[in-house]
Amino acid sequence: MTYPWLSAPAAQIVQTARTLLGWTVSAGGVTVRLTEVEAYAGTGEDPASHAHRGPTPRNQVMFGPAGHVYVYFVFGMHWCANIVCGRDGEAAAVLLRAGEVVGGVETARERRPRAADRDLARGPARLVTALGIGRDANGTSAIDGSGPLLLTPPAIPVDPAHIVAGPRVGVAAAHDLPWRFWLADEPSVSVYRRHTPRRRPAPAAPVRNSPA
């Protein structure tokens, strides 16, 4: 299957991210309708991107081909999934931030047993858990059905008037860049939390002995 965004340059990652709202991602017997995404560009303008400083063994997937899945581990405990965008050799990706489970709800509940239905895929780690994917999806196609995750367009494209933009969540750099996009009035959209850098405690003052 060919979609126009598959051939769009990395510099158009913002437009591509908006395009993917309303699409569905399916894996492991669960289907999620995307209600929130974030754009990341490895074109030198986005220090929050894993590809900002060029290719590494970890981020190589981000450099193409488009339509493949980039999975990474965060905080030593969670997997997050992205759809690679941009022409070959140009790094860009769209983080799948949140969505509404529209198929396989019972399976998603088994994977997230203590979550309310609106929270089953409300956040990037929760979305990946609900879909039941992990490292095995990294580098696989989300377009042709050969990988564990399948990305499908909606029958009716999302009305651009329903798309809201704002700062990305939890990134340490370029936090105010309005590259997070979500559908208005969707309860599955994650809660915004601005990144707060950890403050290191000030070094203790040296103890000086009082003169005898």
Side-chain angles (χ1 to χ4, degrees):
M1 185 65 68
T2 300
Y3 304 113
W5 62 266
L6 287 171
S7 58
Q12 294 181 12
I13 187 60
V14 166
Q15 293 91 324
T16 297
R18 294 171 63 95
T19 295
L20 293 181
L21 285 170
W23 288 51
T24 58
V25 286
S26 302
V30 172
T31 297
V32 174
R33 173 176 168 264
L34 296 175
T35 59
E36 183 183 9
V37 296
E38 280 180 350
Y40 289 88
T43 55
E45 65 188 83
D46 182 11
S49 170
H50 289 178
H52 181 59
R53 300 185 183 279
T56 67
R58 179 197 190 196
N59 68 26
Q60 186 62 51
V61 175
M62 287 185 67
F63 289 82
H68 281 209
V69 184
Y70 170 49
V71 177
Y72 64 88
F73 206 46
V74 65
F75 301 136
M77 58 192 303
H78 299 303
W79 294 104
C80 295
N82 304 253
I83 301 300
V84 175
C85 308
R87 297 167 182 159
D88 284 355
E90 299 177 353
V94 174
L95 173 66
L96 309 183
R97 269 214 63 87
E100 174 194 9
V101 176
V102 294
V105 175
E106 292 300 327
T107 300
R109 288 171 180 160
E110 291 173 3
R111 292 172 180 155
R112 303 249 310 123
R114 290 178 292 278
D117 282 1
R118 77 168 190 173
D119 293 330
L120 289 172
R122 192 184 188 206
R126 294 172 179 179
L127 186 150
V128 166
T129 300
L131 292 173
I133 62 173
R135 186 196 300 272
D136 60 312
N138 191 52
T140 62
S141 174
I143 301 299
D144 63 10
S146 63
L149 188 147
L150 182 64
L151 186 65
T152 307
I156 302 175
V158 166
D159 182 348
H162 293 163
I163 298 176
V164 185
R168 294 178 295 191
V169 178
V171 293
H175 11 321
D176 293 326
L177 200 62
W179 282 13
R180 180 170 62 100
F181 304 97
W182 66 94
L183 298 179
D185 302 320
E186 287 282 350
S188 59
V189 172
S190 60
V191 177
Y192 173 70
R193 292 186 179 89
R194 182 187 173 103
H195 173 75
T196 303
R198 295 181 180 179
R199 294 184 177 180
R200 295 182 179 180
V207 177
R208 298 187 180 184
N209 295 326
S210 299

